Amino acid sequence: MPEPIDPDAIIQEVEGSLGEVERRLLQGVRDGSQGTAALSEVIDRIAGVIVDLRPPYRRVHEILERRDIPLATTEHLETLRSRILRLYRKSRLEHMFFLKLQLERSLRDTLHRHVVESFEEMSSLDEHERTIRAAGEAVLVDDLLGNDGQLELPVPEP
């Protein structure tokens, strides 16, 4: 025979833990949205929320499987179960949002650096092109013969 339980105590316990978990989720979302915490920290906090939703769900699920629970208690537990699932879905979606945001920022930073470096290289090549256009024939001949390298340009390798 299943061990006697106090459904009301379990309901209060689960409701209390859900309130705390939801508060932590919303605080993490606020911190991430306002930039008051690093994205990696926000992602870790929300991942912790996801993990912390499992025990209350298991608790509710186990009690709902029992046949000796009054109908009113079962309805309350179903409401809690639904709340946990909504909170879990929201947590997972927020987690995905901040993971995507982190990836987007990383990609943007990487591409930005690459674009800046490419433009700097392009400017350098433009400067070399102006130098070649302005060089007199004697300078070009000296550079071609490798005598003094007055052009100070990168020399293509054969």
Side-chain angles (χ1 to χ4, degrees):
M1 180 161 186
E3 108 183 28
I5 60 165
D6 181 1
D8 293 330
I10 293 171
I11 288 171
Q12 285 181 341
E13 175 189 324
V14 169
E15 284 178 335
S17 68
L18 285 183
E20 174 60 23
V21 169
E22 185 173 7
R23 184 197 64 71
R24 287 179 23 231
L25 171 64
L26 294 176
Q27 187 61 49
V29 170
R30 276 187 216 106
D31 290 347
S33 297
Q34 296 169 356
T36 57
L39 276 178
S40 59
E41 181 184 331
V42 170
I43 290 166
D44 289 345
R45 278 199 257 160
I46 295 174
V49 165
I50 291 167
V51 169
D52 290 347
L53 284 169
R54 290 187 173 121
Y57 182 81
R58 284 189 189 111
R59 198 93 196 263
V60 168
H61 181 73
E62 288 169 2
I63 297 169
L64 280 169
E65 288 183 336
R66 296 179 69 128
R67 295 175 31 201
D68 62 341
I69 303 297
L71 185 58
T73 303
T74 301
E75 289 172 355
H76 198 142
L77 288 166
E78 283 290 345
T79 301
L80 268 177
R81 179 185 168 281
S82 177
R83 180 178 173 202
I84 294 168
L85 288 173
R86 287 191 315 269
L87 192 53
Y88 182 73
R89 180 186 315 274
K90 179 169 180 56
S91 299
R92 293 298 258 174
L93 290 172
E94 293 297 339
H95 191 246
M96 288 298 115
F97 172 79
F98 285 107
L99 282 170
K100 287 170 40 178
L101 183 61
Q102 184 180 44
L103 180 61
E104 179 184 299
R105 285 184 181 173
S106 172
L107 185 60
R108 183 194 66 209
D109 292 347
T110 300
L111 286 176
H112 179 73
R113 273 193 303 277
H114 185 69
V115 166
V116 168
E117 290 169 359
S118 295
F119 275 114
E120 286 174 354
E121 186 176 350
M122 183 67 77
S123 292
S124 175
L125 292 172
D126 286 344
E127 183 62 32
H128 290 318
E129 182 180 10
R130 282 189 291 278
T131 302
I132 292 170
R133 289 184 187 282
E137 190 174 298
V139 173
L140 291 175
V141 169
D142 281 345
D143 191 62
L144 185 60
L145 294 174
N147 290 339
D148 64 3
Q150 289 180 6
L151 290 179
E152 299 180 15
L153 301 175
V155 179
E157 295 185 26

